[in-house]
Each structure stands twice: as structure tokens, then as C-alpha cells.
Amino acid sequence: MARRLPPKDVVVVGLGWSGSIIANELCEEGLDVVALERGPWRDTASHFNIGYAPDELRYNSRQELMLHPAQLTVTARNDPSQTALPMRQFGSFHPGNGVGGAGVHWAGITWRFSPIDFRLRSHYTERYGAAAIPESMTIQDWGTSYEEMEPFYDRFEYLAGISGKAGNLDGQIQAGGNPFEGARRRDYPNPPMMQTFGPTLFAETAEKMGYKPFPIPSALLSRSYVNPLGIAMGQCTYCGFCTNYGCANYSKASAQTAVLPVLMRKENFELRTLCEVLRVNLDSTGRRATGVTYVDSSGEEWEQPAELVVLCAFMLDNVRLMLLSGIGKPYDHRTGEGAIGRNFCYQMANQVIGYFDPKAYNFNNFIGGGATGTAIDEFNNDNFDHGPLGFLGGGSTRCAPIGAEPISKRPTRPGSPTWGSGWKKAMAETYLSNLSVGCEASSYADRNNFLDLDPTYTDRLGRPLMRITFDFPENDVRMSAYVTKKVAEIVRAMGAQQILENPRTRPWSVVPYQSTHVVGGTAMGLDPKTSAVNPYLQSWDVPNLFTVGANVFPQNSGFNPTGTVGALSFKAADAIRTRYLKSPGPLVQV
């Protein structure tokens, strides 16, 4: 029997980027907010101290900052005819664990989605006709627009101190920026990162080929910065220990560096760590959340009553909590009915590795960061004519050296010996003279890719595990092959002697790391039949429940998702502050 606690105005589940932004905004409104975090407390000074922050064994090999399967895992399969099996090790994607979530160990690449992304189905229908969209493809419009999202993107970029160069200011294309981006009201708060040799060579080559390269928008700071909350952040040192690591220099924007120093000092905010939420509690009508039930580190159950519940956990956990709590209608792939679990998507992370003459090229690959580099956008979204190609979608092409760590980065050319003195010699020759160029590409929703509760496997608390049914659709495989060939043309023109192309192919495997950009499952939209939440991130079925995260994406773009998650966090907070609190109830009438 759960012990009942005194009620709060708001309970926030998960304290990563979304949870910290929402909690801070609602505390500013004067509400009494409690956040429940499944993992431990983490802060820069204690947990990412410069003395051990660049510990590759600890953070990259043993993945200390990530969720471990002993805590919670998922089951996975490629199609509905198969039996899903539990992931014994998180390989394909890395959920975060603890305060800050995956925003602690993220790379920091911070895009805005294109105006096309927010009305994707409408756009493709208007340009190519409805017949161009495969029958099994369930892409849909977001129910919002880029113009509506723009001020919230702006707020997140200035909170995080994003380094970059605007490509479109109030409709005027700016030299040196991304000419394909939507119009923005002002430039980034910080100038672009300085570029190392590899991204510089990529930009020079791409420009000669007629493309328009620009610096990647980066949550790594190009200079010292004080954000709108008054929090000081430091300049990136290109240490090379960034992706999978916390930042010891306060240089990579995260909840720890951009929000928590202010939020944790608020008298109307409380954080409880090592507390796992079991379910959202509903009243007798099933239309109102009364709070949540959670279990603490000693195994004791507690009921936390609240007037408002906001789910801000990792996207898989947000979907699972809605399924476990009986909120909304679960998706049925056979009939296409139901919205909870629908439109689960991934990201097509394609790569081309170029091997250059070691006597002529030294890329100093040990220097880098998760979001340093240059990009082109000619093969993203619908920036090129898809009519004759037989697929839809595309990706952002970028050269972004993250740093070549001494344990995991041991590159050799194809055909080199795999052991012994020959392998050592090949690795020494290749370490400084190889360069990767990637294309982070879209993942479009398919009728047979979805999330539901596993009928067999349960977690340590007896609850069904989340089951992932996913494989790369044929549309996305064709797109992947096309954009990878385009990337290879650039790498070859850069002077590579040998090229290794790595497009995404079927079947999807849970073993090698690909991307933590998993999205969907509780899509936002204007139709309750195909969306779980309305354009304000409010549940159609339980109006005092909001959920924020990549789980509300109807499909994935050819961009990294965190910038959009941050913008949606501000959007939901604004809707609660300016609309919901004035008149509690549904914000969109059906």
C-alpha cells in the first residue's frame, strides 16, 4: 500500500532538458513543483571533475552515465511476426541515467527543424501528389508550424548559448549560414566554433562542388557566455572527450550548466532522486490525473498527489508510462487504430570514411568535440527533387570530428591485418589520416513500426517491458543509399585514396551503436485518432497531463532532435502558464 504524501501543484517525471526547463518555468509562475528522477544526482563539480572526466574506460566503455539493463531494459524485434527478446546491453541507443538525462552525454549538435518538417504529409502531397507517399508510410503533420515554433527555438538557443551562424534572418539569406533554414528573428547567441583541418577541408571541397557549407550549430560554447538565467558557462577546449561524457569545463550546455544552478535554489522546487514512477494515477472517470505512484531506493511505495502531471522522462519511458497507466488507446498495427505507441521512428545514421595519404594529411583526430564541424543541407528534407528518385526524405551532411579516444578509436584501412604487428602498423598509419563524413538522415513512420507492452517479459518491479517493433522501411533504405553516394563523392573529391561507404541497411540490429535519436510513440497533432497529444503537448484523454520529449515527434527529420525537444519544452511551459492555468481543461476542442 503506497503512503500518501502532501499534494503538490505539479509533479514532473524526469529531470533532463525537458524536465528542468518545465520545472523552472512553472516555479517562476509560483507553482509548487516536485521532480521525480529515477537515477542519481549528478553535477559538474562532483561527477565530471577534470581529474577523471576524460576517463574512457569509465564513461565510454562502461557507460557510467547511461541506463543499465539491470535497472530497466526493452525487448526488440524487426516485425510483428517475431518474438521480441530483451536487450541485455544497450548498443543501438544509449538512454541517459540520472539528473540531466541523455543531455549530459549528448554531442551538442543543435538544429532547428525545417518549416517543411512540421507539415510533412501536406508538403509531399502538394508537391508530388498523394500517390508518392507509400501506403504503409504513416507520416503526418505536427499540428504546429515553424513560425509558431520559432520563438521557442530562440529561447532554447539563448538558454543553451548555442554557437552558430544564422542562414536566414527575417527572410534574408545570410552568407556563411544554412540557406535552407527557416527564418529566424536574430542570430545565434555565440559565434561559430573554430574549425579544425578536417571540417575546413570538407567546407572548401563542398564549396568548389557548388554546395553551400556552414558551421554546425553547437551547444559547445565558442566563448564564455552568461545565459538569460544569469548562469555563466565556459569556452570549449576541444578536448576530444565529449560524446558519452559529461563536460568538466562547463562548456557543453546541459541541464547542469544551463538551468539547475538556478532551479535548485528555488524554494518552491523539490527534487527526489532514485525514485522510479510506476504509473500515473487517474480518478474514477479516467479523465483526470490525480498524481503519480513511485517507488524509492528502499523499495517503499509513495503516492504523490498533484494538480498537474508532466512526463519528461526518456521518450520510451514516457510512452511506457502512458501505456501502463491506461491513458489513451494503444496502437494496433493490424487495424491502424489507436495512438499510444504509433509512429515509432529512429534515425538513418549514414557514414563515409575516407582514408588519405598519411604522408600528406594529418587531421589530428584526437582534437574535437561532439558538435564541432561544418555541414551542407542540399540533401536534406525536400531540398532536392525527389520526383524521379523513388523515395522521400534526406539528411544533414556534416564533417564533425568528435575526438579519437585512445581505447575505442583504432582505425585501419579495409583489408588491413586484424592482429599482430601488421595491425599495429596499419593503425599507426591510419590514426591521423582517416576522416569520417556522416549524413544524419530522416526516419519516416511506417505502419508496422510501433511500441507496445511486452506480453512476456517484465522488469524488476513486475511491470511489462516496453516492446520495440522496428525495421528500416524500404523508403528509408533507398534514401540512405542515395545520400551516402552523394557524401562519398565529396570525400573522394577531398583527396581520399580509399573510401568505405556505410549506408543503413536492413535489418535493424540492436547490437552496434547507431544513434540515441529514437522518437515517436505519443505523436502530437490535431487529430485524436492519430495523435496522443495536441499541439500544446497536452493529452487528448487526460487534460491535466502533459508529456514533453522526442516521443511527441510524428516522425524524425534529417536533423538531431534535441533543439526541437528544447523548443517544445518552452512551448508546453508557455501553454501551461498562459492558457491552462487560466482555464484548466482541454486547450484544443475536437
Side-chain angles (χ1 to χ4, degrees):
M1 185 72 178
R3 296 173 60 183
R4 185 180 174 89
L5 294 162
K8 296 279 189 176
D9 293 327
V10 185
V11 58
V12 174
V13 181
L15 198 67
W17 267 125
S18 296
S20 63
I21 290 171
I22 295 252
N24 190 64
E25 289 289 303
L26 298 187
C27 283
E28 286 292 311
E29 193 63 27
L31 300 179
D32 193 11
V33 180
V34 60
L36 302 175
E37 169 57 50
R38 175 176 58 196
W41 168 254
R42 298 193 193 279
D43 66 78
T44 301
S46 302
H47 297 91
F48 318 128
N49 185 280
I50 191 64
Y52 51 78
D55 185 336
E56 186 180 358
L57 186 62
R58 181 178 190 171
Y59 293 114
N60 191 54
S61 300
R62 295 175 179 167
Q63 301 180 358
E64 184 170 302
L65 299 179
M66 284 70 152
L67 181 69
H68 292 279
Q71 296 170 273
L72 184 66
T73 189
V74 299
T75 65
R77 59 183 181 175
N78 289 128
D79 67 69
S81 68
Q82 298 173 333
T83 299
L85 296 174
M87 289 179 68
R88 300 298 184 183
Q89 180 176 343
F90 283 109
S92 183
F93 52 88
H94 294 159
N97 182 41
V99 171
V104 172
H105 62 77
W106 71 314
I109 298 176
T110 312
W111 301 102
R112 295 182 175 196
F113 280 9
S114 162
I116 293 171
D117 284 314
F118 294 104
R119 53 186 312 276
L120 194 69
R121 191 171 195 95
S122 294
H123 171 84
Y124 281 137
T125 300
E126 291 164 3
R127 182 168 182 183
Y128 302 111
I133 302 175
E135 183 179 355
S136 64
M137 186 185 288
T138 55
I139 57 172
Q140 60 194 57
D141 296 353
W142 290 56
T144 189
S145 66
Y146 173 84
E147 291 73 21
E148 187 176 277
M149 290 290 294
E150 200 281 335
F152 303 117
Y153 274 122
D154 181 84
R155 290 193 66 185
F156 181 70
E157 288 166 359
Y158 274 75
L159 176 78
I162 303 303
S163 306
K165 177 70 175 72
N168 185 340
L169 283 177
D170 292 326
Q172 299 296 313
I173 301 303
Q174 306 294 305
N178 182 2
F180 299 97
E181 72 173 358
R184 56 175 67 236
R185 65 178 69 184
R186 54 179 174 171
D187 210 332
Y188 290 97
N190 288 303
M193 303 285 287
M194 292 187 295
Q195 303 300 333
T196 56
F197 175 44
T200 300
L201 178 62
F202 170 82
E204 292 172 350
T205 304
E207 191 167 23
K208 290 177 182 177
M209 297 175 72
Y211 302 124
K212 298 189 182 308
F214 57 91
I216 293 171
S218 172
L220 316 182
L221 272 68
S222 61
R223 63 183 178 184
S224 298
Y225 177 72
V226 178
N227 76 2
L229 297 181
I231 301 172
M233 303 161 71
Q235 183 178 9
C236 177
T237 62
Y238 298 77
C239 71
F241 294 88
C242 191
T243 305
N244 295 334
Y245 301 84
C247 180
N249 300 315
Y250 299 83
S251 305
K252 179 169 66 172
S254 65
Q256 277 78 358
T257 59
V259 187
L260 292 180
V262 167
L263 176 61
M264 294 302 296
R265 288 173 168 81
K266 284 182 162 59
E267 292 184 356
N268 55 338
F269 176 73
E270 179 187 356
L271 168 64
R272 300 175 198 154
T273 58
L274 302 175
C275 293
E276 183 161 358
V277 175
L278 301 177
R279 61 187 173 274
V280 177
N281 301 322
L282 305 176
D283 68 5
S284 59
T285 69
R287 295 280 299 168
R288 181 178 179 276
T290 60
V292 300
T293 297
Y294 70 92
V295 60
D296 64 18
S297 58
S298 66
E300 187 168 2
E301 285 192 20
W302 301 86
E303 180 186 350
Q304 178 58 68
E307 291 297 316
L308 189 63
V309 177
V310 188
L311 303 182
C312 296
F314 187 66
M315 58 81 49
L316 293 173
D317 298 307
N318 287 339
V319 179
R320 182 170 179 247
L321 276 173
M322 292 184 74
L323 288 169
L324 290 171
S325 306
I327 298 171
K329 184 177 181 179
Y331 173 70
D332 186 339
H333 73 281
R334 293 160 294 192
T335 65
E337 297 179 352
I340 312 300
R342 185 178 186 271
N343 280 30
F344 174 75
C345 299
Y346 199 19
Q347 190 131 56
M348 302 295 282
N350 313 287
Q351 180 191 49
V352 174
I353 303 174
Y355 300 92
F356 295 75
D357 181 355
K359 297 179 181 178
Y361 291 83
N362 182 348
F363 293 111
N364 285 332
N365 289 329
F366 53 88
I367 299 172
T372 59
T374 57
I376 61 170
D377 227 16
E378 275 80 357
F379 305 113
N380 201 358
N381 296 310
D382 197 28
N383 298 341
F384 57 105
D385 184 9
H386 288 78
L389 299 177
F391 66 83
L392 301 174
S396 167
T397 303
R398 77 285 293 259
C399 179
I402 65 173
E405 304 137 304
I407 297 176
S408 60
K409 302 299 189 298
R410 294 173 298 209
T412 56
R413 292 173 181 252
S416 298
T418 57
W419 63 282
S421 59
W423 169 75
K424 293 178 182 179
K425 183 176 183 294
M427 184 182 66
E429 290 178 347
T430 308
Y431 181 79
L432 295 175
S433 59
N434 80 97
L435 189 70
S436 173
V437 178
C439 185
E440 197 87 344
S442 55
S443 176
Y444 284 169
D446 185 89
R447 182 181 182 127
N448 290 315
N449 289 336
F450 59 93
L451 302 172
D452 64 355
L453 297 177
D454 194 280
T456 304
Y457 294 97
T458 59
D459 65 13
R460 70 189 194 286
L461 300 172
R463 301 173 301 166
L465 295 181
M466 174 64 74
R467 179 170 63 177
I468 297 174
T469 302
F470 180 80
D471 205 355
F472 300 121
E474 182 61 29
N475 173 86
D476 293 4
V477 172
R478 292 179 183 176
M479 178 272 295
S480 178
Y482 178 85
V483 297
T484 303
K485 290 293 183 186
K486 292 295 184 180
V487 174
E489 291 175 4
I490 300 174
V491 177
R492 190 173 291 109
M494 291 169 67
Q497 294 177 322
Q498 189 175 4
I499 287 176
L500 179 63
E501 299 180 21
N502 292 311
R504 283 283 165 239
T505 57
R506 306 173 88 174
W508 168 59
S509 169
V510 302
V511 178
Y513 182 75
Q514 292 155 67
S515 167
T516 306
H517 304 161
V518 282
V519 307
T522 60
M524 61 187 287
L526 286 170
D527 185 354
K529 292 182 180 179
T530 58
S531 61
V533 298
N534 65 30
Y536 301 107
L537 294 308
Q538 179 189 43
S539 168
W540 288 110
D541 301 280
V542 181
N544 67 330
L545 173 78
F546 289 73
T547 179
V548 186
N551 48 290
V552 306
F553 292 17
Q555 56 271 327
N556 209 358
S557 171
F559 288 127
N560 303 52
T562 306
T564 300
V565 170
L568 288 171
S569 302
F570 277 112
K571 188 178 196 293
D574 179 76
I576 294 170
R577 296 182 71 172
T578 64
R579 297 171 182 265
Y580 179 84
L581 293 178
K582 293 178 180 178
S583 180
L587 299 180
V588 177
Q589 300 298 327
V590 180

